[in-house]
Structure formats: C-alpha cells, structure tokens
Amino acid sequence: MGQSIAGICVNNGFDTDGFDLGRELELEWKFQKKVSAETAFERHKKKGVYDVCFLENVTLILTELETGIWGRTSENMEVFSFVIQESTMTFSFKWSLNSKFEQRYFRVENDVVDDEVSIGEPLPIENLYKDYADLIEAQIKKTTGFSLIDFSDKEFYRFKWVGSEKLLQDIEYALRSGYFYKYMDSRLISSYTPEEQIRLFEIFHQYALENKVDVYHYMTLGNSEGIIPVETVFKSNYQGVIRILLENPETESVVKRYYTTKQTDWLFGIDPTDEKFYNKVLNDHLKTEENFIQNIEELKEEKKDKKWWEFWK
C-alpha cells in the first residue's frame, strides 16, 4: 500500500496546551487527549483531528490529507506542510520562512508535477532527490532536525477543530487571546454567566484606569478604510458589559460601586456637543484615583496638537 501521511512541521517549540501554536497557525482547536505515536501515525485520520508532538525547539502536527495539502504558514518561523500518498503517487510540498505566503509549493498527482499550481523557485534540496517521498522526508528533517522515524517513540497530544465560536465560549480563551480588544461582541458577552460578566467588568475597569481611557467621551467609529480604533472596540465592549450588569438586579450593585446613575445615563445617551454636562458628569462623585481624565482641558489641547492622521493611532 505504501506510505500515507500528511502533516505540518515547525522549527519552533510551543506549550503543550496548544494555545500559542493554534494562534500562530490559525488552528481553532481544542485539546482532547494524549495518544501514542502508533495511534498518531495511523492511516486515514479523520478530518479536523490533529496529533501534535511538542518538542523543545520543534513541533510536528500529523493531519488528514486535505490539511496537509493546504498547509499553513507563519510570519515568525519556518513551516513545512506535506503529503505523502504513495498508493496514488500523490505528494504535496509547501514551505515558507517567516512569511504569511508560501515561498515554495508544488503538488504531484499520479507521479506528475502539476505546474499550474506550482509556486516559487525550486529549493536546493529538491535537486538531491528523485523520489518525492524521500525529498519530503529530507525536508522534514531539515526543518525540524528529526526524521519521521525519530518521532515514532514520542508522545502526541490530540486536538480537534471546534471553531472560534466554541473556543470563545471559554472566557479564559477569550481573555488570553485579547479578543475583546479586537472585536465588538456584545452577543458573546451576554452569553457568559453573571460571575464571568462581573469578572470582565473588573478587568475592563482596571484596563481603563491603567490606560487612562476616557470611557465617557463619544467613540470614533472608524477611518475611511473602515478600520476601527482599538480604543473604540474596547469602549464598546466595556459599555456593553456595564449595560448587561445594570439590567440584572443581582449584578447592578457591582457597577454602582464605580459609577453614579448620572454617569451611566450619560454613557448610554452621549451628546458630544454638551461639553458642560460632560464635564459635570465626569467629576460627579468620582474618587480622584478613579477619575480617568483629570483635566479635560489638557485632553482638548493634546488633541488640538495632533495632525488629522494621528487620531487613528
């Protein structure tokens, strides 16, 4: 029957929880269990199943054939994706170095290279081998420092593709990924438990204090290219969790420890032209250490000194 294997190898080590590796290669997966090398190297792996060997400075991911063909790249490290299917003489070779795009790619079907999908100039190693299986195994060793046989006695961790929606239901994942500083998502926030929403509020509040975010002022929605400033994304999510907590009699007291009714009314009915009321609200019963903007006039002067393009930074 010949050899049948597909995978991705990276010349970098990662924690075995798979978080950083998944983020680096855009694999929305979740850990399932540890498996033996014998299980990891089995033929006909199911779609969405990944068996990963984590070593100190290299990583090998064994996948099903489709993932091996499409492969992955990284702007930060060397990545080699491959397929060896000797029964049909199908091979795939995809290599990149510190690039989001493959720098060398070719696919072989029925022992014939498909020139229409080939990318990049041949690598020097390609001239050393006539057999595609031998070439791919040699590139695996060049990328990782190990041959496939060297991985045959190692421990593997099985992950399964679950998608971003399911991953984000775990608030620990959402926080660790910085999701709420990149995307507005009040729907996701509302799906969390009251305890998790309170935790989000406390984290957001601390972030606003430490970064002197003026949560009371109106938000800039985006520039001509549709790029929304990080501060606007944060404010939207922060105000979203405040609104949710206020609507729940069991959690509204958490918000009221930091905000007066006048202030929360302002947050959800901002009139950017009413600066007199804005200044009054800003300082309404706030403790000095909790006042995000100590001097609104200084803020205005700072903004006046900026060029128009600096407002998007």
Side-chain angles (χ1 to χ4, degrees):
M1 292 179 65
Q3 192 173 15
S4 177
I5 190 170
I8 304 166
C9 51
V10 186
N11 70 336
N12 200 78
F14 295 89
D15 289 338
T16 56
D17 63 5
F19 178 86
D20 291 329
L21 176 59
R23 299 276 292 171
E24 190 67 42
L25 299 185
E26 298 182 353
L27 294 167
E28 297 171 349
W29 59 14
K30 191 171 184 178
F31 172 70
Q32 302 295 300
K33 60 183 179 180
K34 292 183 180 181
V35 297
S36 66
E38 183 180 3
T39 299
F41 277 92
E42 285 179 346
R43 302 166 65 94
H44 309 304
K45 196 178 298 295
K46 292 182 179 179
K47 185 176 182 179
V49 172
Y50 311 84
D51 291 328
V52 187
C53 179
F54 295 95
L55 299 182
E56 184 176 358
N57 297 311
V58 297
T59 306
L60 173 68
I61 309 171
L62 297 179
T63 73
E64 95 293 351
L65 297 180
E66 184 178 350
T67 298
I69 290 174
W70 287 105
R72 288 295 190 275
T73 59
S74 166
E75 293 181 316
N76 305 305
M77 54 201 68
E78 180 182 351
V79 181
F80 176 55
S81 308
F82 61 90
V83 169
I84 300 175
Q85 181 80 341
E86 291 184 315
S87 61
T88 59
M89 297 305 288
T90 299
F91 306 92
S92 180
F93 184 110
K94 180 174 182 175
W95 177 86
S96 67
L97 177 63
N98 304 332
S99 172
K100 64 188 300 184
F101 302 105
E102 60 266 41
Q103 290 149 310
R104 177 57 174 151
Y105 173 73
F106 68 83
R107 190 169 69 218
V108 178
E109 295 184 2
N110 297 318
D111 209 24
V112 177
V113 175
D114 186 348
D115 292 327
E116 291 186 1
V117 297
S118 295
I119 297 173
E121 294 296 322
L123 301 178
I125 196 172
E126 295 179 45
N127 298 321
L128 304 179
Y129 298 89
K130 294 182 178 180
D131 183 273
Y132 292 116
D134 291 343
L135 167 62
I136 289 171
E137 290 202 43
Q139 183 59 50
I140 291 171
K141 187 167 186 178
K142 184 173 178 59
T143 298
T144 66
F146 296 89
S147 66
L148 282 176
I149 294 178
D150 292 331
F151 289 97
S152 62
D153 61 349
K154 307 299 183 187
E155 186 175 53
F156 282 76
Y157 293 71
R158 175 159 290 184
F159 291 80
K160 183 179 180 181
W161 182 281
V162 296
S164 60
E165 185 172 349
K166 188 167 184 178
L167 283 175
L168 290 168
Q169 290 173 1
D170 180 355
I171 192 172
E172 297 298 336
Y173 178 90
L175 290 171
R176 188 175 176 186
S177 66
Y179 179 80
F180 293 114
Y181 303 92
K182 301 173 185 176
Y183 306 100
M184 299 177 182
D185 200 338
S186 58
R187 182 188 62 82
L188 177 62
I189 294 173
S190 64
S191 72
Y192 290 141
T193 66
E195 291 76 16
E196 290 172 331
Q197 291 165 354
I198 290 172
R199 185 180 174 200
L200 267 183
F201 170 79
E202 292 172 342
I203 290 172
F204 288 168
H205 186 72
Q206 187 63 32
Y207 177 88
L209 286 172
E210 292 176 353
N211 293 277
K212 298 182 179 179
V213 177
D214 178 11
V215 296
Y216 296 105
H217 214 54
Y218 63 94
M219 295 181 283
T220 304
L221 294 181
N223 62 11
S224 59
E225 297 178 351
I227 299 175
I228 301 176
V230 173
E231 185 173 298
T232 295
V233 174
F234 166 72
K235 285 183 185 180
S236 175
N237 288 324
Y238 185 27
Q239 293 181 11
V241 76
I242 289 174
R243 189 191 300 272
I244 291 170
L245 293 177
L246 287 174
E247 291 174 351
N248 184 347
E250 296 181 0
T251 59
E252 62 177 345
S253 61
V254 175
V255 177
K256 290 183 177 180
R257 289 204 301 264
Y258 301 96
Y259 294 94
T260 66
T261 300
K262 186 182 293 184
Q263 290 165 348
T264 54
D265 286 347
W266 170 267
L267 285 176
F268 305 120
I270 292 176
D271 178 1
T273 63
D274 194 347
E275 293 195 6
K276 183 177 180 181
F277 186 51
Y278 168 67
N279 283 318
K280 186 176 181 181
V281 167
L282 185 67
N283 295 288
D284 183 34
H285 304 302
L286 275 180
K287 297 178 182 178
T288 302
E289 65 270 22
E290 292 177 351
N291 193 333
F292 301 156
I293 304 298
Q294 298 294 331
N295 192 327
I296 190 61
E297 295 303 324
E298 289 182 6
L299 178 64
K300 291 178 185 176
E301 289 302 319
E302 180 183 334
K303 289 185 176 181
K304 285 180 182 178
D305 292 337
K306 285 187 176 182
K307 305 297 183 183
W308 66 268
W309 59 83
E310 293 179 308
F311 284 98
W312 307 114
K313 293 183 178 180

